[in-house]
Every structure is written in structure tokens, then in C-alpha cells.
């Protein structure tokens, strides 16, 4: 099939082309309580083609992409490729070249046993202790072995395989005639048994405490502690602002060799792009354009060190060996988690919504469950919101030396941010 597509692309006379072919083989399981409701095998293929056309005597480079059915006949493929070639002439970008072949560092690759990975997920969820007040309502497991091939007209032709899993869980909590549901979505490569068990046990507790929560007090500004996966959004802010597309479009003014905050009073974060993390669903030797992925320091003690991103924007900035990062690790903590938990602070563990806008720095979230630590007692609270700007808040963040992992991100287990605006409901 791919040979036919390449032939038709060359016949179409496009300036350049790129193909991504992803084959997925795996299992899906659907449980109600712990009883299997249904399961099925998944065996699919997705072929995406992107074409490039120089227009106006090479002044501009246009591009267009679409997905081609692996069962399509040659006549249908020819028509779709002709349409792509035309659509590409309607787009104007500065010219750039595609990735050239470049060998990635060798890496051992273990066989992918989707049956064993699925069994690990099922066993882990079934072993979670339940009570009359908190239990697992339902869960769905999706485990796949994926094989991805990337090739382009510049000579790139790379293939690799990797596991890709997702678990969706609904936890029920009930108290005195009231009941709520907490939804969780976990992505990973294989099953992180220890991390999954820890998080589901915490979710059970959050459900119980949510039913006994008091209104969040109006704190004005307060120290806020992040100890769940929402902390990833804080560190993604740093990664996004070091992306070549943000820098080129002037959505980020961070310059290499300079601090990313004007006045650090807290810990100075370090952020690295990594090729591999244990159990990550994004462990790759090559990125989505066929560029080798290398362990690279992006931010070092609060100082910008590297820009990374797509070939298009990297070339505009003159970056020869940039790539699209897949895994990240944040560090730089000078305190233990226990030390960060001293004093008064609000620990938010459940948001209705939490976002950090990487362009503006705006941070905002609606509180579903938090714990107000007043120095003596701990009170579960609900309602109200957080707000602030990472442009300022980044100056006084304190990171734990201990770390935890959420799929493709390893971050400090606790992150204390000072000066966050907390709007209560009292």
C-alpha cells in the first residue's frame, strides 16, 4: 500500500511529501463493577499523508494533509493526492526543508505482550480495597501494541514499536444518602502498578472527604500546594514557552542563556526532555517527523538552555538538530515534601477545571476538593477558585526533592506556589 502511495505522490509532482503509518493491535475490556461486560480485539491501521508545494517561484511553501484509507483503490488514492496538491497551494509559509535521515541512538526494545499488560491492569484494579462508602463503579481498559513507520521524500524511513495503554475508572463515594462520582483517566505504556494503586486509593479518600467538605474560605492570596497530576500543567508552561513555535511567533520572549523569571526567590526549576521514562506511553527513538530524540536540558536552574519543536519552526530559528519532545522531567527542589507541608497552605486535589495558558501565563481553576491546612487542623473544603499569573508566580515556587510520574511527565511530588489568589464561597 505504501509503495503505491509513494508512486502516486511522485507522479503528482509535489515538491515534497511525508507519510505516517500507524498500525495498532490490542485489547479493549469493559467492566461494570468487577464483572466483565464485554471485550474486543482491536486491529487497525491509520495512514496520514502530508504534501508540500513551493508556490510563487519558491517564495512560499504550502502544505496540506489527510488520512488515506488502507483499503482504498489506486484511482481513489490518486484523486485524494491530487486534491492535497491543490489544497497545498492555498497555504503560504516561509520555505523550509523536511527532515533528512539521521540515525537515532540504539536502544534495546523489549517484546510487547498486550495480554500480560492487560492482565496487570485488571489485577491491580481488582485488588483495590473497597468499603461500603467507597467503591469502583466501572472501568475500561485499552491496551495496544503500536508500530509506527515514518518516511518522507528526503529519505527518512524509520519504524518502531511501542505499548500504549489507557485506563478509565469511575469511583463512587456515598455518605448519609448522598453519592458522588469521581472520574479518572490514566495513560501509560505498560501498567504502572504501584502508581495506579496509590492514585486510586487517594481517589477513594477524596470521594469520602468531598462529601464532608466545608465551603472554601476567602483567603485572598495564599500558598497553594499541588500534589496531583494537575501539577503537570505548571511545568508544561515552561516546556511550551521553550517551544520553537512559541518563540518564533513571539508568544514567548524567553532567550537562551537568560533566566525565565526576573526575580527568583524560590527554587529555580530544571526541565529536561527525555527519550525514555519508565512505563511512559511516549517512549520513542524518533519523533513524529522522523527526527532522533535525545535527552536534552531545556531549562537549567531557571535559565533557558534549549528550544525544541517541529522542523518548520526550528528551521526558522536556525536550529539544526531540534526535535519534538515526548517525555519530560522537572526537578530542582531544595525541600522535602514534609518541609513544604509546614505552616498554612491550601492543598488542592480536585478541580472542575484547571488550566495554565502558556502564552499569557494566566492560571485559573475551579476547586472541587481541597484541604485547608491552618497550621493546626486540616479541613476538607470545596467551591471557589484559584487565579494568578505564572509570569509572576514562577518567581516563588518551591519544589520537593521527591518526585512522582504521570505518564510522560516526571515532576516534583509536591509543588508549593506562593501568592495565588484564592476566591472562596464563604
Amino acid at each position: 500500500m505504501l509503495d503505491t502511495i509513494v508512486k502516486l505522490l511522485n507522479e503528482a509532482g509535489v515538491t515534497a511529501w511525508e507519510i505516517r503509518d500507524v498500525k495498532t493491535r490490542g485489547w479493549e475490556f469493559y467492566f461494570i463493577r468487577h464483572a466483565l461486560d464485554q471485550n474486543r480485539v482491536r486491529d487497525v491501521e491509520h495512514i496520514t499523508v502530508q504534501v508540500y508545494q513551493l508556490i510563487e517561484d519558491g517564495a512560499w511553501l504550502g502544505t496540506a494533509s489527510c488520512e488515506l484509507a488502507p483499503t482504498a483503490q489506486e484511482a481513489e488514492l490518486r484523486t485524494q493526492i491530487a486534491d492535497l496538491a491543490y489544497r497545498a497551494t492555498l497555504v503560504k509559509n516561509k520555505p523550509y526543508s523536511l527532515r533528512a535521515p539521521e540515525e537515532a541512538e540504539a536502544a534495546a526494545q523489549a517484546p510487547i505482550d498486550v495480554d500480560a499488560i492487560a492482565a496487570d491492569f485488571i489485577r491491580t484494579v481488582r485488588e483495590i480495597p473497597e468499603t461500603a462508602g467507597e467503591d469502583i463503579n466501572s472501568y475500561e481498559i485499552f491496551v495496544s501494541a503500536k508500530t509506527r513507520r515514518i518516511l518522507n521524500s528526503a529519505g527518512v524511513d524509520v519504524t518502531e514499536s511501542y505499548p500504549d495503554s489507557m485506563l478509565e475508572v469511575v469511583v463512587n463515594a456515598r455518605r448519609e444518602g448522598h453519592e458522588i462520582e469521581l472520574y479518572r483517566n490514566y495513560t501509560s505504556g505498560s501498567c504502572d502498578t504501584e502508581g495506579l494503586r496509590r492514585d486510586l486509593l487517594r481517589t477513594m479518600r477524596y470521594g469520602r472527604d468531598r462529601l464532608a467538605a466545608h465551603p472554601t474560605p476567602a483567603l485572598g492570596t495564599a500558598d497553594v500546594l499541588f500534589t496531583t497530576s494537575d501539577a503537570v500543567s505548571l511545568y508544561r508552561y515552561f516546556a511550551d514557552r521553550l517551544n520553537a513555535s512559541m518563540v518564533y511567533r513571539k508568544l514567548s520572549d524567553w532567550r537562551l542563556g537568560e533566566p525565565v523569571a526576573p526575580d527568583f526567590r524560590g527554587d529555580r526549576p530544571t526541565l529536561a526532555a527525555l527519550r525514555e521514562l519508565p512505563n511512559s506511553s511516549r517512549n520513542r527513538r524518533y519523533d513524529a517527523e522522523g527526527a532522533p530524540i535525545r535527552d536534552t536540558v531545556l531549562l537549567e536552574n531557571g535559565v533557558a538552555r534549549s528550544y525544541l519543536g517541529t522542523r518548520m519552526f526550528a528551521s526558522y530559528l536556525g536550529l539544526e538538530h531540534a526535535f519534538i519532545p515526548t517525555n519530560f522531567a522537572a526537578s530542582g527542589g531544595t525541600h522535602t515534601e514534609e518541609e513544604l507541608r509546614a505552616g498554612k497552605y491550601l492543598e488542592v486535589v480536585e478541580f472542575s477545571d484547571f488550566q495554565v495558558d502558556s502564552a499569557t501565563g494566566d492560571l485559573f481553576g475551579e476547586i472541587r476538593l481541597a484541604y485547608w491546612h491552618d497550621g493546626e487542623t486540616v479541613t476538607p473544603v470545596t467551591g471557589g477558585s484559584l487565579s494568578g499569573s505564572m509570569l509572576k508566580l514562577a518567581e516563588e515556587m518551591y519544589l520537593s526533592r521527591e518526585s512522582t510520574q504521570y505518564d510522560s511527565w516526571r515532576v516534583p511530588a509536591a509543588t508549593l506556589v506562593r501568592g495565588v489568589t484564592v476566591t472562596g464561597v464563604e
Side-chain angles (χ1 to χ4, degrees), residues 243-369:
N243 190 292
S245 69
M246 294 277 285
V247 175
Y248 178 78
R249 293 181 293 162
K250 302 189 184 306
L251 297 173
S252 170
D253 58 0
W254 290 0
R255 298 181 181 277
L256 300 185
E258 296 182 3
V260 300
D263 182 21
F264 275 114
R265 298 184 299 282
D267 290 337
R268 296 171 178 261
T270 291
L271 182 69
L274 300 180
R275 193 176 67 178
E276 291 191 6
L277 278 175
N279 291 312
S280 169
S281 65
R282 295 173 60 79
N283 289 338
R284 309 282 192 276
R285 294 177 62 204
Y286 297 92
D287 72 7
E289 297 177 329
I293 294 176
R294 304 175 178 86
D295 291 355
T296 304
V297 175
L298 302 175
L299 185 68
E300 184 178 27
N301 296 323
V303 176
R305 293 301 183 196
S306 301
Y307 300 139
L308 295 179
T310 64
R311 175 65 174 172
M312 175 180 174
F313 290 104
S315 66
Y316 293 166
L317 295 182
L319 309 176
E320 280 301 314
H321 299 291
F323 56 88
I324 304 168
T326 51
N327 296 310
F328 296 88
S331 59
T334 58
H335 300 76
T336 65
E337 181 175 351
E338 183 179 0
E339 290 170 340
L340 293 181
R341 288 183 174 277
K344 297 182 179 181
Y345 61 92
L346 184 71
E347 179 184 4
V348 185
V349 297
E350 289 282 324
F351 286 97
S352 297
D353 183 42
F354 180 69
Q355 299 181 38
V356 178
D357 189 304
S358 300
T360 66
D362 292 340
L363 172 154
F364 44 92
E366 297 177 352
I367 301 170
R368 191 175 185 189
L369 176 67

Side-chain angles (χ1 to χ4, degrees), residues 40 47 74 106 119 130 141 143 180 183 194 196-197 239 246 256 262 284 299 332 340 344 349 352 358 376 405:
R40 60 190 179 193
I47 301 173
E74 184 170 328
E130 299 173 288
I141 299 169
V143 178
I180 62 169
Y183 169 79
E194 181 181 344
L196 178 59
R197 177 181 173 82
M246 294 277 285
L256 300 185
R284 309 282 192 276
L299 185 68
L340 293 181
K344 297 182 179 181
V349 297
S352 297
S358 300
E376 296 181 0
Q405 186 177 329

Side-chain angles (χ1 to χ4, degrees), residues 377-394:
T377 60
V378 180
T379 305
V381 296
T382 185
S385 63
L386 302 183
S387 61
S389 173
M390 284 295 290
L391 299 175
K392 188 67 177 176
L393 295 175

Side-chain angles (χ1 to χ4, degrees), residues 159-233:
T159 302
E160 59 182 335
S161 299
Y162 49 91
D164 188 5
S165 306
M166 182 174 71
L167 169 67
E168 294 182 296
V169 183
V170 175
V171 171
N172 278 20
R174 56 191 68 82
R175 180 175 182 267
E176 297 177 355
H178 297 282
E179 185 170 351
I180 62 169
E181 291 184 347
L182 296 181
Y183 169 79
R184 290 292 185 270
N185 183 313
Y186 304 96
T187 57
S188 61
S190 52
C191 178
D192 177 7
T193 301
E194 181 181 344
L196 178 59
R197 177 181 173 82
R198 179 181 64 246
D199 200 86
L200 283 174
L201 288 174
R202 290 200 305 186
T203 302
M204 295 280 197
R205 176 168 62 88
Y206 295 160
R208 179 175 65 249
D209 292 345
R210 171 65 179 82
L211 290 168
H214 300 271
T216 301
L219 300 174
T221 58
D223 293 353
V224 176
L225 190 70
F226 293 84
T227 55
T228 68
S229 60
D230 291 302
V232 169
S233 295

Side-chain angles (χ1 to χ4, degrees), residues 125-147:
V125 176
R126 283 181 169 170
E127 290 177 352
I128 299 297
E130 299 173 288
T131 70
E134 303 90 39
D135 57 28
I136 292 176
N137 174 290
S138 57
Y139 54 103
E140 300 177 0
I141 299 169
F142 307 85
V143 178
S144 302
K146 293 190 173 183
T147 299

